[in-house]
């Protein structure tokens, strides 16, 4: 573990945008890098990715550092090469919780009032009569509800948030579900620029190819991971695979297909199915 010697500069803080997760999970670092709150699981993923074909598509990992008594993962800031970037976080897969979370909630259900309130905020008829009377829902129940409201179940991905170069930021996509709605959001995001669309499409196809040959991908249940889309007015456009906090290794003798329906026990995540739908969605944006 290296102790962190640098202090953050104000300029980089202003440039930084975080579209998901707790605000306290990230810190500014040295030029071109960021710090993400340490997780053993995510660290292990980054280490395994060092020898995998997915390496060119994930932020470079520079090890674990300590700052203010806390541990962080030191990695490349994907926004640093952009001038006023537009950024979109797309959470991949047909489900957003691990099978083990489901089992735990069944064995020891913990009713969460914070999640109950979040549910009511979006849809007062979301909770069942029983959930209303206990003013609580379990975490998997909340996540399954989020999946059914959004395009996670129907398309295998969902939009988590978008920040545009004009400074506007939206994370209110909880009810963006139909393909038509998703197409509109993408269209607005790329501002109808065909060059950006083309770059995004070709980068996504490269990612698709790499995933199909990746040993890491075969051997992991990939839950809650996102594709981060970034472009700017110079038509630089990139897509990166981020967030391995819930990407979990399978037992030695098991591999996943990533393209077949999930049934509890098979651990399938629908990642490749979602990616094909994402490609088709972007193609419809180009054709409109
Ligand atoms: P959650 O699990 O709720 O999605 P998290 O704490 O695991 O959140 P991430 O999803 O990894 O955090 O990242 C949250 C946001 O921070 C992303 O949506 C993106 O906007 C930004 N971000 C994460 N990693 C990078 C990076 N390497 N470069 C630039 N931006 C990043
Ligand atoms: Mg995330
Ligand atoms: Mg995460």
């Amino acid at each position: 573990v290296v102790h962190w010697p640098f202090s953050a500069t104000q300029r980089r803080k202003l440039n930084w945008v975080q579209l998901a997760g707790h605000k306290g999970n990230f810190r500014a670092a040295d030029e071109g890098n960021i710090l993400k709150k340490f997780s053993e699981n995510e660290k292990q993923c980054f280490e395994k990715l060092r020898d995998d074909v997915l390496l060119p598509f994930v932020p470079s990992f520079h090890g674990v550092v300590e700052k203010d008594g806390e541990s962080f993962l030191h990695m490349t800031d994907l926004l640093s090469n952009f001038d006023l970037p537009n950024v979109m976080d797309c959470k991949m897969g047909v489900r957003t919780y691990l099978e083990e979370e489901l089992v735990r909630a069944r064995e020891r259900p913990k009713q969460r009032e914070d999640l109950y309130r979040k549910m009511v905020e979006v849809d007062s008829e979301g909770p069942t009569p029983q959930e209303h009377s206990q003013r609580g829902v379990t975490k998997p129940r909340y996540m399954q509800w989020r999946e059914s409201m959004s395009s996670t179940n129907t398309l295998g991905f969902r939009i988590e948030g978008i920040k545009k170069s004009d400074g506007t930021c939206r994370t209110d996509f909880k009810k963006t579900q139909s393909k038509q709605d998703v197409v509109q959001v993408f269209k607005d995001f790329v501002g109808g620029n065909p060059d950006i669309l083309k770059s995004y499409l070709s980068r996504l196809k490269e990612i698709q190819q790499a995933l199909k040959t990746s040993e890491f991908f075969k051997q992991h249940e990939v839950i809650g991971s996102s594709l981060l889309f970034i472009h700017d007015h110079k038509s630089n456009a990139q897509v990166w695979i981020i967030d391995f906090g819930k990407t979990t290794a399978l037992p030695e003798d098991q591999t996943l297909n990533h393209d077949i329906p999930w049934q509890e026990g098979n651990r399938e995540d629908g990642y490749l199915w979602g990616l094909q739908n994402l490609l088709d969605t972007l193609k419809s944006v180009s054709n409109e």
Side-chain angles (χ1 to χ4, degrees), residues 179-283:
K179 174 150 184 206
Q180 226 177 338
D181 286 350
V182 176
V183 167
Q184 279 315 309
V185 174
F186 268 90
K187 197 171 176 177
D188 178 64
F189 176 62
V190 298
N193 185 324
D195 294 334
I196 291 167
L197 264 175
K198 239 192 248 161
S199 303
Y200 277 155
L201 272 167
S202 74
R203 176 83 171 173
L204 283 179
K205 282 180 199 153
E206 284 174 46
I207 288 176
Q208 189 181 43
Q209 271 318 306
L211 287 169
K212 284 180 178 169
T213 58
S214 164
E215 286 300 314
F216 176 89
F217 191 54
K218 239 180 248 152
Q219 294 161 4
H220 287 77
E221 178 183 4
V222 182
I223 300 297
S225 177
S226 287
L227 290 174
L228 196 68
F229 290 73
I230 315 167
H231 69 267
D232 64 18
H233 59 93
K234 292 182 222 141
S235 298
N236 295 326
Q238 299 179 348
V239 186
W240 298 89
I241 306 171
I242 63 161
D243 195 358
F244 303 101
K246 283 198 193 179
T247 293
T248 311
L250 298 162
E252 281 280 312
D253 55 344
Q254 198 184 347
T255 58
L256 291 187
N257 175 293
H258 299 285
D259 206 10
I260 56 175
W262 173 61
Q263 280 168 333
E264 195 177 342
N266 76 3
R267 297 184 68 174
E268 289 290 346
D269 52 32
Y271 193 113
L272 284 179
W273 183 70
L275 181 54
Q276 187 56 53
N277 287 329
L278 184 53
L279 275 159
D280 293 343
T281 303
L282 274 175
K283 283 179 206 153

Side-chain angles (χ1 to χ4, degrees), residues 127-220:
T128 62
Q130 196 199 343
E131 286 164 344
H132 270 304
S133 67
Q134 69 203 16
R135 292 185 58 78
V137 296
T138 66
K139 188 165 174 213
R141 159 77 175 121
Y142 174 76
M143 292 177 101
Q144 281 172 335
W145 168 79
R146 287 265 279 121
E147 292 168 2
S148 69
M149 294 292 284
S150 68
S151 55
T152 289
N153 289 156
T154 51
L155 293 173
F157 69 89
R158 76 169 177 232
I159 298 160
E160 290 279 290
I162 289 181
K163 159 99 190 268
K164 294 212 286 184
S165 56
D166 62 11
T168 55
C169 190
R170 280 187 61 192
T171 52
D172 56 341
F173 297 107
K174 288 195 177 65
K175 289 198 260 192
T176 305
Q177 183 184 56
S178 70
K179 174 150 184 206
Q180 226 177 338
D181 286 350
V182 176
V183 167
Q184 279 315 309
V185 174
F186 268 90
K187 197 171 176 177
D188 178 64
F189 176 62
V190 298
N193 185 324
D195 294 334
I196 291 167
L197 264 175
K198 239 192 248 161
S199 303
Y200 277 155
L201 272 167
S202 74
R203 176 83 171 173
L204 283 179
K205 282 180 199 153
E206 284 174 46
I207 288 176
Q208 189 181 43
Q209 271 318 306
L211 287 169
K212 284 180 178 169
T213 58
S214 164
E215 286 300 314
F216 176 89
F217 191 54
K218 239 180 248 152
Q219 294 161 4
H220 287 77

Side-chain angles (χ1 to χ4, degrees), residues 16-21 25-26 34 36 76-78 89 243:
W16 167 249
V17 46
Q18 184 187 333
L19 293 172
N25 283 2
F26 288 86
I34 53 159
K36 178 176 176 180
T76 297
D77 174 3
L78 299 168
D89 181 307
D243 195 358

